[in-house]
Amino acid sequence: MKRIVTIVAVGLLLAAVSLQAQETQLVSQENVSTNRIQKQHNYTQFQKTQMKASEASILAAMNSQSVGLQQTAMQTLRDLEQLDPDYPFGSLIAPLGEKLLSEQTDPTVRVLAALALDELHSNAGDAIIRAVAEKSQNPDVQNLCRALLVRSDLK
């Protein structure tokens, strides 16, 4: 089951990237943007409709007992956030927070959870990051959260 969820999540991401590449090739040269960020965030209708399904797959993988699957889920979320920075991923904020707040969670999963929460740009995520920056027992995770808050506090 864990393997299936990983394969589905990775498959959705690869399908989305492949379709985006195909669409980009079909665009005439006069309509092609030279702005890299604009190109990066120009995703297809297929990708838009698959975001809810991707969110559900990521949530299932995050709740897995497999550390590798959790890590893959967090990184996939970060990749999808780059594809669609306006998509809220609201159902993932609490599970990300649980992973980040738990001292028993794998340190790499906690780091990826902190990065993903920061990229969601939510007040709830920032509050969780702030709590970890103040009281985490893992100095690496604590320092990362402090660094993320510097950027958040500057906005």
Side-chain angles (χ1 to χ4, degrees):
M1 179 65 177
K2 296 173 190 173
R3 207 172 275 235
I4 291 171
V5 173
T6 302
I7 291 168
V8 169
V10 172
L12 285 171
L13 184 59
L14 291 175
V17 171
S18 175
L19 285 173
Q20 183 178 8
Q22 290 173 3
E23 261 192 11
T24 302
Q25 291 173 353
L26 297 175
V27 175
S28 67
Q29 284 299 326
E30 63 192 46
N31 293 329
V32 174
S33 170
T34 57
N35 184 333
R36 189 176 124 226
I37 292 175
Q38 186 177 357
K39 286 180 185 177
Q40 178 180 355
H41 296 299
N42 185 20
Y43 57 102
T44 67
Q45 185 61 35
F46 171 78
Q47 290 167 311
K48 292 178 189 179
T49 61
Q50 295 302 311
M51 291 302 274
K52 196 68 175 167
S54 296
E55 186 175 359
S57 294
I58 290 169
L59 180 58
M62 283 173 48
N63 291 328
S64 165
Q65 295 299 314
S66 167
V67 171
L69 194 54
Q70 291 174 16
Q71 292 172 350
T72 301
M74 305 281 177
Q75 186 57 48
T76 301
L77 172 59
R78 295 183 66 223
D79 293 341
L80 289 175
E81 287 172 333
Q82 292 296 313
L83 282 173
D84 188 357
D86 296 325
Y87 189 84
F89 292 103
S91 70
L92 300 179
I93 292 173
L96 284 168
E98 290 171 12
K99 294 293 183 191
L100 180 55
L101 288 166
S102 173
E103 295 290 338
Q104 286 72 45
T105 300
D106 175 76
T108 303
V109 171
R110 291 183 77 196
V111 165
L112 290 168
L115 293 170
L117 272 176
D118 182 61
E119 291 169 6
L120 288 174
H121 307 290
S122 73
N123 291 335
D126 289 347
I128 295 166
I129 292 169
R130 184 168 275 105
V132 173
E134 292 172 359
K135 65 175 182 148
S136 179
Q137 296 172 5
N138 182 317
D140 294 331
V141 173
Q142 188 176 40
N143 286 333
L144 171 64
C145 288
R146 286 179 181 157
L148 294 173
L149 288 174
V150 169
R151 189 174 77 179
S152 294
D153 291 341
L154 293 176
K155 293 179 185 177

